[in-house]
Amino acid sequence: MPSAYCRPDLHCHSTCSDGTLPPTELAHHAHAAGVDLWALTDHDTLAGQAAARAAACALGLAWVSGVEVSATWAERTIHIVGLGVDVQHAPLQQMLQAHRASRQPRARAMAQQLDALGIPDSYAGALRHVTHPDLLSRTHFARYLVECGRCRSVAEVFRHYLSAGNPGYVPPQWTSLTQVVAHIRAAGGIAVLAHPGRYRLTPQQEAALFDAFGAAGGQALEVATSTHSPSQVQHYAAVAQQRGWAASCGSDFHSPQESRHSLGQVPALPSRLQPVWSLLEQHIAA
Ligand code: AMP
Ligand code: MN
Ligand code: MN
Ligand code: MN
């Protein structure tokens, strides 16, 4: 195993959650884009891991298992990426199963709210965009609202309807951040706090989130991701260093049509940081 990777991408989504490419196709895209270490990190599911691993191994692409788990902290949703988890670990699978089950009533409630706003049939409409029906997400609703001409883009749907504070937003109840980190660690994985720049927190709130994540056993921060500006990369690099955390990087790629950055298009991690893959040596398949 090389000790350094030139183009790692440790965060992306397939049709097993809210991406538009199947795991096997994603592996080919990653390989073609020059990615040399890859993890598929679907929301709240491990359904794509076996196919991702098989495709990566056939291509000679180094692969590590991954999942992006939804977590609740201070009444907000925080995403925790688990890398190198044992995909057979029963307690982890049970937590993810409970998350998927809770998506059904939430989706029904979202559809009711959209109905009241004069947008009928969004539950059935969103379902048409889903490959795995138990993983109904806001992204699938957004795609339906674009399809029926209500908004011009997925981003616009989130701005007007589906993000917190908008009509159409139903606050979810995920497992607590502390429990999510504990499950990832119990499954042998490394917990990575995903895209910290996306949570719109004050500096005090951000410090409290980092305290909670560290106290729970979190070991890495996603310093480089497609939505972080260069100054955010520098800011979170400093946080990782101060807290003694490893650094991760990933495109958070969802779709060739919707994602501004393709697989592998992630700013480089500042070289002074400890890369998360140095903690994953036993878990990487090549
Ligand atoms: P859910 O897990 O159902 O709450 O959906 C969360 C997903 O919605 C995220 O993983 C993103 O893919 C997508 N999402 C959230 N906010 C936005 C946004 N502002 N623009 C585009 N997609 C978003
Ligand atoms: Mn997503
Ligand atoms: Mn996320
Ligand atoms: Mn993601």
Side-chain angles (χ1 to χ4, degrees):
M1 188 197 74
S3 57
Y5 293 98
C6 296
R7 200 177 286 274
D9 193 332
L10 299 173
H11 188 155
C12 67
H13 298 272
S14 77
T15 46
C16 293
S17 64
D18 60 350
T20 61
L21 300 177
T24 304
E25 234 177 281
L26 270 178
H28 282 88
H29 274 250
H31 186 246
V35 171
D36 53 5
L37 174 63
W38 178 57
L40 170 64
T41 56
D42 277 311
H43 299 285
D44 300 322
T45 181
L46 294 162
Q49 295 302 303
R53 179 182 183 142
C57 287
L59 291 162
L61 167 61
W63 170 92
V64 66
S65 66
V67 61
E68 182 174 16
V69 187
S70 314
T72 295
W73 171 80
E75 294 172 29
R76 294 166 183 272
T77 293
I78 304 293
H79 285 172
I80 307 294
V81 166
L83 295 175
V85 293
D86 170 7
V87 300
Q88 308 290 347
H89 192 255
L92 174 64
Q93 288 179 340
Q94 282 157 16
M95 173 178 69
L96 301 177
Q97 167 63 39
H99 282 198
R100 293 195 298 275
S102 76
R103 286 176 175 275
Q104 293 297 325
R106 172 183 176 233
R108 294 269 181 207
M110 280 167 48
Q112 257 180 6
Q113 292 198 10
L114 292 171
D115 212 44
L117 294 167
I119 307 171
D121 303 325
S122 63
Y123 187 88
L127 263 188
R128 285 207 303 277
H129 288 268
V130 171
T131 307
H132 290 247
D134 62 349
L135 210 300
L136 199 46
S137 80
R138 286 185 289 163
T139 309
H140 301 107
F141 278 84
R143 290 186 183 135
Y144 171 66
L145 264 66
V146 172
E147 178 194 61
C148 68
R150 195 75 192 201
C151 292
R152 274 168 304 176
S153 68
V154 163
E156 191 182 317
V157 181
F158 276 93
R159 267 199 307 279
H160 294 298
Y161 297 103
L162 296 182
S163 52
N166 286 299
Y169 178 74
V170 176
Q173 277 299 324
W174 309 115
T175 305
S176 73
L177 176 89
T178 302
Q179 285 292 314
V180 167
V181 172
H183 274 90
I184 289 169
R185 292 201 59 158
I190 301 293
V192 184
L193 181 50
H195 44 62
R198 279 186 53 177
Y199 301 120
R200 298 169 184 273
L201 302 171
T202 65
Q204 290 77 14
Q205 289 169 328
E206 192 174 80
L209 169 61
F210 294 155
D211 288 346
F213 177 69
Q219 291 165 280
L221 190 64
E222 198 174 66
V223 167
T225 175
S226 57
T227 49
H228 280 175
S229 66
S231 66
Q232 283 177 313
V233 172
Q234 290 311 318
H235 170 66
Y236 294 113
V239 170
Q241 221 175 5
Q242 280 157 13
R243 303 235 171 204
W245 292 338
S248 190
C249 58
S251 60
D252 206 359
F253 178 80
H254 283 71
S255 157
Q257 283 76 37
E258 294 162 14
S259 299
R260 261 182 294 158
H261 299 267
S262 75
L263 280 159
Q265 276 190 10
V266 198
L269 288 175
S271 60
R272 67 183 189 277
L273 301 180
Q274 180 188 16
V276 71
W277 48 91
S278 69
L279 303 174
L280 292 164
E281 292 189 8
Q282 309 305 316
H283 302 272
I284 295 172

